[in-house]
Amino acid sequence: MVESSSSSPSQSEFIPGWEIVVGLEVHCELKTNTKLFCGCANAFGREPNTSVCPVCLGLPGSLPVINEHAVELAIRIGLALNCKVDESIFHRKNYFYPDMPKDYQISQYEKAINENGYLELPLSKKRVRIERAHIEEDTGKTTHVGGDGGRIHGAIHSLVDYNRAGIPLVEIVSAPDLRSAEEAREYVTELRAILVASGASDGKMEEGSLRVDANVSVRRSGSAEFGTRCEIKNLNSLRSLVRAIGYEAQRQVELIESGNAVVQQTRHWNEDQGVTTAMRSKEEAYDYRYFPEPDLVPLAPSAEWITEIGSRIGMMPSDRRERLISMFETAPSGSTFDQIVTAVSLGLDDLVTGAVRNGADARLALARAANEVASDIDHLANINPKTFGELIRMEAGGKLSATQAKKVLGTMLESGEGPQNVAESLGFEALDTSIIEGFVGQVIAASPKEWERFAAGEDQLAGFFVGQVMKLSKGKADGKIVTAILRSKRS
Amino acid sequence: MSDSISREEVIHVANLAKLALSEEEEQMYTSQLGAILDHARDIMALDTADVAPTAHPLELKNVFRPDLEKESLDRDEVLSQAPVAEEGRFMVPRIIGDAP
Amino acid sequence: MTLSTIGMAASEIAGLVRSKQVSAVEVVQEHLAFAASHDSELHSFIDITDEAALSAARVVDEKIARGEDPGSLAGVPIALKDNLVTRGQATTCASQILKGWKPPYDATVVEKVREAGAVALGKTNLDEFAMGSSTENSSFGPTRNPYDLQRVPGGSSGGSAAAVAAKLSPLALGSDTGGSIRQPAALCGIVGVKPTYGLVSRYGLIAFASSLDQIGPFARSVKDSALLLQVIAGHDPKDSTSLESPAPDLLAGIERGVEGLRIGVIEELIDGVAPKVGEALLEAANSLGAQGAKIEHVSVPAVKYGLSAYYLIAPAEASSNLARYDGVRYGLRVEGQDMNETYVKSRTKGFGAEVKRRIMLGTFALSSGYYDAYYGKAQRVRTMIINSFQSAYNHFDVLLSPTTPTTAFELGAKVSDPLSMYLSDICTIPTNLAGHPAMSLPYGQGENDMPIGVQVLAPALGEVNMFRVARALELGAPVISRKLFWE
Ligand SMILES: [Zn+2]
């Protein structure tokens, strides 16, 4: 999930005369050892139906008992989202579906553990209201066999794996406060960073640890009333989220402008075709017949417990960003701020500050972290503030060119080796400044006319000379050092 | 005939509960459920505005278990009970309609 | 073996086994043989698990041979209601929907009685999913009353009650959601106890109505029932609704008598019962008065709303508890064109009429637009009942009432009229709604000399006084003159 937060919004996002209204429901799998109501492992990627027991299979006679750590993580989320953490109860949500072993889901309905909070967007400082963040159990996983690409339509039969059934989730429901696909992306990025920072989630969208449903409606600019909304499911990445909202808003506007009405429905995002399609629902409307779960007793976290949990929450993203910002003497520019947001949302800020403590240049360390490290985040464990800091020092000190430094960092992430070793094995031994000066001299001698023009102030010719030096040095010279030598020779 | 529940409502709840009823059964259950609901009219008449609901006779709160892993069941034993299983999973006929 | 253990008290059998005067295997063999020759008429068992029983008995004998403590119920046969989950042994709830299911685990109470040395003879018959008051709603056919095979044993734990009454087993476990232990105990002339909600773990009890269900003992004496309750009571971390407090010592004070106890006779529950049932209750009260208790009549007005509240709350919970029987993971599946059709076909074929009736009633009570009027209302009435009992218990230590309005009725008498069947639980239901303990013990005989039950009710965790009173009543109770069907 590496996407720069500064990429341009999709074209369909702004529709003249219309405003998009988005509210998000984010399901977050909690990072516990075991499931919500039983001792089965909360593990991803196991053989099907090997992490199951009488409780999570809903066998007759079995009973749920709440995992205390899941409650603690839920409270951490609530506190991190500025919610009121209060007494709550569980309800049963009744409907038949083969991925639900009991044919009801245990969830919080009337009283959620966390209510009425907010999330502040990092750039605009806009506060998005959080209506609730409640605890519920996940469902099993259904694989459709014989259909079109594993889709439900046209399948001959389906296979069910209950390893995921009963995994603890917190569902975070925002108010319809978001006004563009870009804002929705910013919200999810920040929420994800908060969930990771609080230790509640690993934030892995691609593994389904975070799943987003978007409620989208449109209204004419200036209108105070909300339009009819559609709920979009299956948004597995930030890219899908942005595209789906853009598509859906456009679809709704076209409907209304052509004199039709938007029908409230649940829609499915088709990533390949880039469209949303209405989900096929059964004939009868759902009637979930919620009622208090009689097998569980109320959750009533004491004030002391809540305080204790609060003291265990890690540093929040906004504080983490402040920590990075404070490394710079002047307020960081837009692109640097974007890098800070990215670094924090991916949990790379400790790497950057650690490298800086090891003597690395802050701006360079941040840039390399937010770009190169971010694009290979899965191998983050292969580097540490020490090796990363050393690399940044080598680059800043001219021992490696920018191109070389990126290559070395890439190899470090792959292999886990230190920057010295990697640089040597790649043949990137540092070029002494005197050697570079020699190359510069040769190039000036070979191109006297160009040098005359450069010396007269035609600065764009610097590129020409740097290119020539690079040729001679076989790419080993640092462009910045070459430029500096050229400038010093001109004066 | 009772007016506590109509035949249409009986058909509706049977649908929700995934039960099929013959016409005879529709009639029978409409009258039987009606009689039971009629009997419940004694409590409908009670003034309970100031009475809190009781969902549970206990006053327990905060019953937890520690986040410790326990051994899961043996998959072969689990699947041996399945009406149909395939590839380590429970097999079901095609599903019409996405999960809500 | 020279002496027969058939008809012997559980405590006596345990004593003989512990002192090696008789082996657990001998006790179990004798009971298995006795059940084999008498249960074809009675039909109290769905499944008699001979081999498992004998091997469990051998384990007890080996423990004794090694000098280890075999437990307080060493070698005592016990019958288990077939809604208690038993590992590797068919557990049916008397329903076709659980056909072929062999659970991969044991209920907590099953583990506890085994640890105490008791030996399970098999699984007893019940109304399907414990829904009924006559054990006629069993897909395996009805159980008969051992005093009159043409009459019902009561229900839903009719199999367990009949097995104990007919001396096929000295002990049995049942479950009580609205009277399913006490009512059959009364109709079969034995002792049956519904403990305080949360005293006994429900883990492994197949749920009917979770906020009302409790497991409890059947025995032929008050002391034996206390002995068994002592074994199964206690906190279980697998049940969130299990009480933390340690199980009280029920036997210690059981002979203390009733001198000075304040006992109230519930007025609302005497109205409308059969004349002889009412007379027996008053005689029982007099007997306690003669033994030094202070007897008064007391009004507990809200109990008359118990039946209505119960028949909304219990089916509502049941409709959800029984959703899981869907043909996907275990039990019966009738294949349809698609998933939905498979659900409908499996459930329509797998559930009997009474279960369907309650599922639909409960679904209706919870459904959109009716929740507040029915389920919500019933929950508030539940509070009124608890408050009403509380007022009574401010002045009384225990309360008395009939267990059932009549003695055992004839097979088929109420099958076509559900409401009349439901009315036979009118005296037992209020305590389930309150979560309080109550027990039934035989006191006198009614029409056709069929046994009458008297109910002793106590506030939450008031078991110690409840058993004291029951024991005092037992001492003064007339002996049942009617013979068992095989006598
Ligand atoms: Zn499990």
Side-chain angles (χ1 to χ4, degrees):
Chain A
M1 205 192 63
V2 178
E3 284 161 86
S4 153
S5 59
S6 64
S7 73
S8 60
S10 59
Q11 288 190 324
S12 57
E13 195 186 341
F14 298 115
I15 308 164
W18 292 88
E19 182 175 52
I20 304 177
V21 175
V22 179
L24 296 178
E25 292 168 15
V26 177
H27 288 86
C28 165
E29 278 184 357
L30 299 179
K31 220 169 67 178
T32 51
N33 294 324
T34 63
K35 294 187 179 183
L36 183 52
F37 299 121
C38 64
C40 290
N42 172 1
F44 180 79
R46 286 208 181 179
E47 280 288 296
N49 293 308
T50 55
S51 193
V52 293
C53 74
V55 177
C56 59
L57 280 173
L59 295 189
S62 65
L63 294 170
V65 185
I66 303 171
N67 180 343
E68 183 168 23
H69 192 54
V71 176
E72 162 162 355
L73 294 183
I75 293 175
R76 283 197 210 173
I77 292 173
L79 294 175
L81 294 173
N82 311 292
C83 290
K84 170 134 181 57
V85 180
D86 209 346
E87 180 163 343
S88 59
I89 58 168
F90 287 91
H91 271 67
R92 289 189 188 174
K93 180 183 185 180
N94 295 286
Y95 63 93
F96 285 84
Y97 210 76
D99 62 9
M100 265 204 322
K102 303 181 291 297
D103 288 299
Y104 58 80
Q105 182 192 33
I106 303 177
S107 178
Q108 295 195 305
Y109 173 62
E110 240 171 45
K111 285 173 90 185
I113 187 164
N114 307 301
E115 290 179 350
N116 298 324
Y118 64 86
L119 178 150
E120 191 175 273
L121 296 179
L123 288 165
S124 59
K125 303 286 177 200
K126 170 176 169 172
R127 281 189 177 181
V128 179
R129 287 170 297 158
I130 305 292
E131 289 180 348
R132 58 190 349 242
H134 66 258
I135 307 173
E136 63 185 29
E137 57 178 337
D138 208 344
T139 59
K141 240 180 178 160
T142 309
T143 312
H144 306 293
V145 179
D148 173 22
R151 293 287 308 283
I152 193 165
H153 305 303
I156 302 162
H157 60 255
S158 301
L159 298 172
V160 195
D161 167 17
Y162 293 107
N163 282 350
R164 201 181 68 182
I167 295 221
L169 297 177
V170 164
E171 181 179 343
I172 300 141
V173 182
S174 85
D177 285 353
L178 299 160
R179 291 293 175 269
S180 67
E182 189 49 41
E183 223 170 56
R185 175 223 286 274
E186 201 186 334
Y187 169 86
V188 174
T189 305
E190 179 67 359
L191 177 60
R192 181 185 173 284
I194 290 171
L195 295 172
V196 172
S198 65
S201 161
D202 63 16
K204 287 180 183 162
M205 235 172 151
E206 63 282 4
E207 286 183 10
S209 303
L210 274 193
R211 305 198 289 272
V212 183
D213 299 336
N215 285 299
V216 179
S217 65
V218 296
R219 61 182 174 190
R220 294 200 186 268
S221 301
S223 164
E225 272 171 49
F226 290 123
T228 305
R229 63 168 202 243
C230 288
E231 184 180 3
I232 313 171
K233 296 208 177 241
N234 189 38
L235 303 172
N236 299 326
S237 67
L238 290 180
R239 183 179 139 84
S240 304
L241 174 74
V242 171
R243 289 178 70 208
I245 292 172
Y247 173 86
E248 179 62 19
Q250 190 71 47
R251 185 189 73 87
Q252 291 183 12
V253 167
E254 279 167 19
L255 265 179
I256 299 167
E257 285 186 337
S258 63
N260 295 302
V262 176
V263 181
Q264 183 165 350
Q265 59 188 185
T266 305
R267 298 178 70 84
H268 183 276
W269 169 245
N270 185 320
E271 180 71 38
D272 299 335
Q273 294 169 29
V275 297
T276 64
T277 50
M279 301 242 276
R280 269 224 276 177
S281 59
K282 302 181 213 164
E283 317 102 60
E284 84 262 19
Y286 284 106
D287 179 348
Y288 295 125
R289 291 157 283 137
Y290 285 99
F291 74 104
E293 164 60 281
D295 289 332
L296 294 172
V297 302
L299 291 179
S302 67
E304 297 78 57
W305 194 34
I306 296 171
T307 310
E308 193 194 319
I309 291 170
S311 71
R312 282 203 286 272
I313 299 183
M315 216 180 180
M316 282 300 108
S318 53
D319 299 328
R320 290 172 175 272
R321 284 193 294 271
E322 280 308 316
R323 192 166 57 133
L324 291 184
I325 289 168
S326 70
M327 299 188 316
F328 299 95
E329 279 168 22
T330 54
S333 66
S335 66
T336 307
F337 189 74
D338 284 348
Q339 288 175 350
I340 287 174
V341 171
T342 304
V344 167
S345 71
L346 294 174
L348 297 170
D349 49 324
D350 284 342
L351 181 72
V352 175
T353 54
V356 170
R357 268 199 304 279
N358 285 321
D361 173 66
R363 198 169 300 273
L364 195 54
L366 176 65
R368 289 285 165 266
N371 296 312
E372 283 71 32
V373 180
S375 64
D376 193 15
I377 191 82
D378 287 344
H379 291 108
L380 180 62
N382 281 337
I383 58 172
N384 58 50
K386 206 166 154 254
T387 58
F388 180 65
E390 195 179 340
L391 171 86
I392 302 297
R393 284 205 311 275
M394 285 167 72
E395 183 182 352
K399 290 185 180 162
L400 291 173
S401 68
T403 319
Q404 287 173 334
K406 288 177 191 175
K407 273 192 187 152
V408 171
L409 182 52
T411 310
M412 283 165 69
L413 282 162
E414 260 171 49
S415 68
E417 281 179 87
Q420 295 281 7
N421 287 350
V422 174
E424 267 171 41
S425 62
L426 289 174
F428 293 164
E429 53 299 11
L431 279 189
D432 202 83
T433 311
S434 61
I435 297 173
I436 300 177
E437 274 179 345
F439 287 139
V440 172
Q442 283 179 46
V443 170
I444 292 174
S447 314
K449 280 186 187 156
E450 284 80 2
W451 176 250
E452 227 168 84
R453 283 163 59 198
F454 177 72
E458 244 184 276
D459 218 40
Q460 59 269 42
L461 276 164
F464 164 78
F465 287 105
V466 172
Q468 295 295 311
V469 173
M470 284 297 175
K471 257 190 199 167
L472 282 174
S473 70
K474 298 189 171 105
K476 288 181 188 172
D478 186 327
K480 280 187 213 142
I481 294 175
V482 176
T483 312
I485 294 170
L486 286 166
R487 296 233 163 91
S488 69
K489 288 207 184 269
R490 175 165 69 174
S491 55
Chain B
M1 204 65 186
S2 153
D3 59 2
S4 295
I5 188 166
S6 68
R7 189 159 171 165
E8 287 65 39
E9 286 170 323
V10 168
I11 294 167
H12 174 64
V13 293
N15 267 331
L16 282 174
K18 306 292 181 198
L19 295 169
L21 302 181
S22 66
E23 273 193 32
E24 230 170 275
E25 284 172 319
E26 284 171 10
Q27 210 158 12
M28 177 185 79
Y29 285 122
T30 305
S31 96
Q32 289 177 341
L33 297 189
I36 298 161
L37 292 168
D38 284 351
H39 185 272
R41 285 193 176 162
D42 60 346
I43 66 169
M44 300 303 136
L46 292 175
D47 179 11
T48 53
D50 298 329
V51 185
T54 296
H56 213 277
L58 290 176
E59 282 177 25
L60 285 176
K61 279 177 182 167
N62 295 329
V63 175
F64 299 126
R65 61 177 186 83
D67 187 21
L68 298 174
E69 196 176 328
K70 287 200 174 160
E71 208 181 330
S72 291
L73 289 171
D74 174 64
R75 183 166 76 181
D76 291 340
E77 188 177 8
V78 168
L79 293 178
S80 72
Q81 299 302 309
V84 195
E86 196 181 279
E87 296 169 28
R89 285 168 289 186
F90 295 87
M91 188 161 110
V92 296
R94 71 198 170 95
I95 304 164
I96 296 175
D98 295 278
Chain C
M1 185 171 61
T2 52
L3 101 162
S4 170
T5 56
I6 299 295
M8 212 179 250
S11 55
E12 200 180 342
I13 294 174
L16 292 172
V17 170
R18 290 165 72 98
S19 60
K20 302 190 196 176
Q21 285 170 270
V22 57
S23 72
V25 168
E26 285 170 324
V27 173
V28 168
Q29 270 172 341
E30 192 188 13
H31 278 86
L32 287 172
F34 193 73
S37 57
H38 292 106
D39 203 44
S40 52
E41 286 164 280
L42 192 62
H43 195 225
S44 62
F45 283 92
I46 288 175
D47 189 10
I48 296 179
T49 50
D50 300 66
E51 279 179 34
L54 286 170
S55 74
R58 275 192 288 274
V59 170
V60 174
D61 286 334
E62 283 160 15
K63 264 192 177 176
I64 293 169
R66 285 197 301 268
E68 292 169 25
D69 181 3
S72 60
L73 296 176
V76 179
I78 190 166
L80 305 173
K81 187 177 182 181
D82 202 20
N83 60 353
L84 296 170
V85 169
T86 46
R87 181 169 191 138
Q89 284 173 353
T91 300
T92 67
C93 276
S95 181
Q96 290 303 307
I97 201 108
L98 274 171
K99 202 169 188 170
W101 183 51
K102 297 225 167 114
Y105 76 107
D106 275 321
T108 297
V109 290
V110 171
E111 287 177 351
K112 284 195 166 191
V113 295
R114 184 191 301 128
E115 278 159 26
V119 176
L121 297 176
K123 310 296 288 289
T124 58
N125 201 11
L126 65 151
D127 287 298
E128 186 180 1
F129 282 100
M131 296 176 186
S133 308
S134 67
T135 317
E136 290 166 291
N137 301 328
S138 164
S139 75
F140 299 100
T143 297
R144 316 256 165 173
N145 191 301
Y147 283 103
D148 180 350
L149 296 175
Q150 298 315 308
R151 291 176 186 273
V152 302
S156 66
S157 313
S160 283
V164 171
K167 303 182 181 173
L168 272 53
S169 179
L171 296 176
L173 287 177
S175 65
D176 190 315
T177 306
S180 281
I181 291 174
R182 291 160 287 160
Q183 187 257 15
L187 269 45
C188 291
I190 59 168
V191 180
V193 185
K194 189 218 82 92
T196 301
Y197 186 88
L199 188 66
V200 178
S201 168
R202 293 184 295 119
Y203 191 77
L205 165 65
I206 298 181
F208 161 14
S210 312
S211 78
L212 303 163
D213 296 342
Q214 267 292 285
I215 298 168
F218 284 103
R220 290 190 295 270
S221 72
V222 172
K223 275 187 177 175
D224 270 2
S225 69
L227 180 66
L228 178 52
L229 179 53
Q230 196 85 61
V231 165
I232 59 173
H235 179 67
D236 180 9
K238 290 178 188 158
D239 176 359
S240 306
T241 63
S242 159
L243 292 166
E244 292 277 357
S245 47
D249 189 337
L250 302 171
L251 286 161
I254 203 163
E255 304 282 13
R256 273 176 56 198
V258 290
E259 180 82 53
L261 282 183
R262 299 163 305 166
I263 297 171
V265 177
I266 303 175
E267 279 174 358
E268 285 79 4
L269 299 182
I270 318 177
D271 296 345
V273 302
K276 287 196 174 177
V277 172
E279 285 164 27
L281 177 74
L282 296 178
E283 275 173 39
N286 288 340
S287 149
L288 291 172
Q291 295 180 59
K294 196 175 148 234
I295 310 290
E296 275 177 56
H297 280 232
V298 56
S299 172
V300 187
V303 298
K304 45 181 192 291
Y305 304 118
L307 191 76
S308 291
Y310 176 86
Y311 275 99
L312 295 170
I313 291 170
E317 293 183 14
S319 70
S320 174
N321 284 330
L322 271 63
R324 68 189 65 189
Y325 306 102
D326 60 6
V328 173
R329 290 159 299 276
Y330 45 80
L332 180 77
R333 163 135 137 205
V334 182
E335 209 73 38
Q337 292 289 310
D338 57 40
M339 189 66 251
N340 194 59
E341 210 183 298
T342 304
Y343 283 149
V344 173
K345 284 188 162 179
S346 304
R347 290 167 62 80
T348 301
K349 176 141 196 280
F351 290 134
E354 180 63 25
V355 172
K356 288 179 188 166
R357 187 151 43 234
R358 299 210 196 182
I359 288 176
M360 287 194 284
L361 183 57
T363 303
F364 182 67
L366 289 175
S367 65
S368 162
Y370 291 103
Y371 181 96
D372 290 334
Y374 288 111
Y375 186 74
K377 188 80 180 185
Q379 281 191 318
R380 290 171 202 276
V381 172
R382 190 170 185 179
T383 309
M384 290 173 68
I385 291 168
I386 293 171
N387 293 344
S388 204
F389 270 122
Q390 196 47 58
S391 309
Y393 286 124
N394 286 338
H395 305 284
F396 295 94
D397 299 302
V398 301
L399 301 174
L400 282 189
S401 82
T403 309
T404 58
T406 66
T407 52
F409 44 91
E410 287 182 359
L411 282 153
K414 300 187 179 183
V415 170
S416 57
D417 183 0
L419 190 56
S420 76
M421 183 76 90
Y422 296 174
L423 285 164
S424 56
D425 290 335
I426 199 151
C427 303
T428 48
I429 276 172
T431 40
N432 294 83
L433 291 167
H436 295 165
M439 64 191 286
S440 178
L441 70 155
Y443 203 99
Q445 286 157 279
E447 299 293 328
N448 304 304
D449 289 339
M450 291 301 283
I452 290 172
V454 165
Q455 184 176 217
V456 184
L457 304 85
L461 292 174
E463 273 87 354
V464 169
N465 279 341
M466 181 178 82
F467 274 100
R468 263 173 82 186
V469 171
R471 175 63 183 145
L473 273 174
E474 185 181 46
L475 287 170
V479 175
I480 297 175
S481 60
R482 197 178 162 111
K483 298 281 174 232
L484 291 165
F485 73 98
W486 53 262
E487 279 177 333

